[in-house]
Amino acid sequence: MDYADKEEFLKEFGEDYGYPNAPKSIDQIRATEFKRLENGTVYLDHAGATLYSELQMEAIFRDFTTNVYGNPHSQSDISSATCDIVRAAREQVLDYFNASMKDYKCIFTSGATAALKLVGEAFPWSHQSSYMYTMENHNSVLGIREYALSQGAAAFAIDVEEAVDNDGLSESLVTSTKISLLPIQRRKGASFPERDPAGDAYNLFAFPSECNFSGSRFNLDLINIMKKNPERILEISPFSKGRWMVLIDAAKGCVTQPPDLSKYPVDFVVMSFYKIFGYPTGLGALIMRNDAAKLLKNTYFSGGTVAASIADIDFVKRRQGVEELFEDGTASFLSIASIRHGFNLINSLTVPAICRHIASLGMYVRKVLLSLRHENGADVCTIYGTYTSEVSYHDTGSMVSFNLKRPDGSWFGYREVEKLASLSGIQLRTGCFCNPGACAKYLGLSHSDLLSNIEAGHVCWDDNDIIHGKPTGAIRVSFGYMSTFEDAKKFIDFIRNSFVSFPNKSANGNLSKGGSIHFSPEGMERWLSVSKYVIKFITVYPIKSCAGFSVERWPLCSTGLLHDREWLLKSQTGEILTQKKVPEMCLISTYIDLNQEILVVKSPRCRDELPINLKPDSYNGGIDEIDLYGQRYEVLGYADEINLWFSKAIGRPCSLLQCFSPTFRVCLNKRGDTVMCRDLESRLNFTNEAQFLLVSEESVSDLNSKLSSKADTRKGIDGVTVKVNPMRFRPNLVVSGGEPYAEDRWRNLKIGNNCFTSLGGCNRCQMINFTHKDGQVQKSNEPLATLASYRRLKGKILFGILLRCDISELDTDSYLEVGQEVHVNPE
């Protein structure tokens, strides 16, 4: 740690950072309450879910092991005591929002989403109602639109510019803020009817107190304006008539600035507790004004919400209490009982101090990111949100959302950033964060862009981070009350080291000179003239993602090495299983006896080895079809006893399938691109991209040299120096006889009488970080983290090359053999 950096940070933010007036400093909090982070993990997704304190959990455990809690719907003493605990929890929630029990009620739900759903279902929609919401809203708020539209109501969004709180000056709100009304939505082509002169319709306006995409905070004076004088925003629009009610999504905003309900008479506020203090999850609350509660109609009734019902006639008498009327079923009373321990922790620090502490870290990261420049002077980072020099950093929220650019102005994909951050022990969030309106607004995505992206196959949580040269989402880091300067500094160092182009780096800012993927043709010709390449190892992997076996000599066929990746395992839900999701697959060993036509599999979890007959008449599971990596296959199934063996071996139900016949019909997405497969000309078994994968011993040796010299990752998971074997990369061919990474520039190869074409580098994933020892699967960040530092190109981490066998030149009795010379032609 560079202490000068911290001193500089404390000069600017020291009065607010670290809880100087609290019982514990931030360093003491981390040392005593978050010991699980001592392994170097940097957690920066507090907007998604903050971390629970270990002392908080200890207090909950003592509470639950000391006291007895019972169902609040019973009449026993224990149940009555539990009712008291629940009642006290309601008061604590209302106190957090400075809400009077005379005016508000607290209804516990399974989360903020459930609270929003409750409002949408029970709101008195009519054909004269309107649902208005800001563009910057979570999907859970947008979902209320379905209830409004289905009841004939109108729905429309508004875009609010410069939405940062301006000291509550309601008179200047409209003049200082630009509010744009977006197109009206109606379902089934219904036209807007004339309004009742009496204005009896009920309308709902929803907005977040803090945008979970950008961190921008909305001026809460919108509440008073919409309730008292909606014409100031809606002007002469007919939608300004009727009674407007206001809903605030405070799931994110209540962490540092819970709305003060004594100042802002909002009708509905939703929140989730895990956003504030980490535990419990699955519990939220709807804070509702008493007069608003009278308007909601809960259609469903259940245990706890009825005073009486008769089973065989249409009769039900509902309870009168607001909480009892809307809390269906038995409340999550143990979770409710636990929240007081979370509030005790927050109250010991105070919400204003937490707000200042988190904001200091957010502002620091923003300032540094904005100052970063590539060697050519180009900006590295684009930050989203309303953050001007006039805005106090206390008002900037707890998150920073951004994207990164290369020196030439093109974008780094956010998934690349997320993957590399994970390798560095940094956990952050990428995508649109379930906030499509804010995402489109800040990324400048038009309706045509969004529809085009969807047509191209883009959906939430996929890897399509750049489409048509534009980002489809962003990177978000967010801080919690236990975050430290060291967390922020490690993140900044990661960005600098991984994405900023300096003079001693290559032009793209990713590939160091020592591990260059760019070789000059002249240099390649020199190496080829003095190098003699030979095959050192040949490995066949019969079952996709299971262990392979080495051979001295092996036949070739139209799909590559005979029987290579000819089988796979499929889950009961139809998912194709690989080591990425089922690491235990690497424990299954395989061997094929060509003379006996038998595939033999073994597993430490199974007592007996399993012989599988390769003869065509041995299959009895039927023929089916599956799609995999852009290609459709006919597959053969097996008998139950074989499937049960594999289910035991990997610890989950599965079935074994054999490739019967790839039909050569490439599955295209709607944009016309292949889904994944790079080799579109060859017959393929269940390989990811091509028939063969080749690595060189010299490249592996160079990687091991870098691993041994990397001080901060010198010790592996078993306490010894990290060293990888060529088999870690699951190659079919290992060659030797040249310079490290010379294979990057190979264009064509000839081995014996067989010709091969290079399809380029193999993009590596987390799978190469799995090892197994004594029947246990272990995972570290290596060697992928080291490869990422010098073998990264356009978002891919390359090691080894993919090959295609030229089938037209394949002999009927072709084979590969250890010791054969490899003749190569460069580009």
Side-chain angles (χ1 to χ4, degrees), residues 37 141 161 165 204 312 339 357 373 382 522 585 599 657:
L37 298 180
V141 176
E161 299 289 346
D165 196 331
L204 183 63
D312 55 348
I339 66 174
H357 170 77
R373 299 289 184 275
T382 296
E522 295 78 11
M585 292 179 69
L599 165 64
L657 299 177

Side-chain angles (χ1 to χ4, degrees), residues 60-272:
I60 293 171
F61 181 75
R62 285 195 302 270
D63 184 355
F64 287 180
T65 54
T66 302
N67 298 304
V68 180
Y69 292 95
N71 191 321
H73 292 166
S74 299
Q75 299 296 315
S76 67
D77 292 343
I78 288 175
S79 296
S80 296
T82 303
C83 285
D84 293 337
I85 294 291
V86 172
R87 188 179 302 110
R90 296 190 204 276
E91 295 178 13
Q92 201 161 20
V93 172
L94 293 177
D95 287 343
Y96 190 72
F97 290 91
N98 199 19
S100 166
M101 294 184 64
K102 180 181 66 175
D103 299 321
Y104 285 92
K105 294 292 186 292
C106 170
I107 299 164
F108 287 115
T109 64
S110 63
T113 295
L116 291 164
K117 185 170 182 284
L118 190 159
V119 174
E121 288 178 337
F123 195 81
W125 303 108
S126 72
H127 284 76
Q128 295 182 325
S129 296
S130 299
Y131 177 48
M132 182 173 72
Y133 51 90
T134 57
M135 280 289 290
E136 297 173 64
N137 258 312
H138 194 276
N139 266 327
S140 298
V141 176
L142 300 187
I144 294 176
R145 181 177 64 192
E146 294 300 300
Y147 292 108
L149 293 175
S150 67
Q151 297 297 316
F156 57 96
I158 62 171
D159 190 18
V160 181
E161 299 289 346
E162 300 179 6
V164 176
D165 196 331
N166 55 12
D167 298 325
L169 301 177
S170 59
E171 291 301 320
S172 64
L173 174 62
V174 175
T175 58
S176 66
T177 303
K178 180 182 177 182
I179 299 176
S180 304
L181 273 64
L182 299 177
I184 308 301
Q185 306 159 58
R186 280 195 180 275
R187 187 141 299 169
K188 298 178 181 178
S191 60
F192 180 71
E194 289 294 326
R195 288 271 176 168
D196 188 322
D200 290 337
Y202 290 97
N203 310 301
L204 183 63
F205 171 47
F207 69 98
S209 58
E210 181 179 331
C211 173
N212 77 311
F213 185 97
S214 66
S216 298
R217 290 192 174 122
F218 284 77
N219 192 311
L220 297 185
D221 280 318
L222 286 169
I223 300 167
N224 292 324
I225 291 175
M226 286 306 301
K227 290 181 71 65
K228 297 177 181 178
N229 190 10
E231 291 85 356
R232 292 183 60 185
I233 291 178
L234 298 174
E235 298 177 344
I236 60 173
S237 167
F239 298 103
S240 63
K241 304 300 181 181
R243 177 178 173 183
W244 276 93
M245 308 185 78
V246 180
L247 180 152
I248 291 182
D249 175 9
K252 178 62 191 74
C254 72
V255 175
T256 54
Q257 287 191 354
D260 185 344
L261 300 189
S262 69
K263 293 173 58 178
Y264 303 103
V266 65
D267 298 284
F268 311 102
V269 179
V270 303
M271 52 93 69
S272 283

Side-chain angles (χ1 to χ4, degrees), residues 414-415 418-419 458-466 472:
Y414 59 76
R415 284 290 289 140
E418 184 176 32
K419 291 174 183 177
H458 175 52
V459 295
C460 295
W461 305 340
D462 67 13
D463 287 344
N464 294 322
D465 49 13
I466 304 289
T472 60

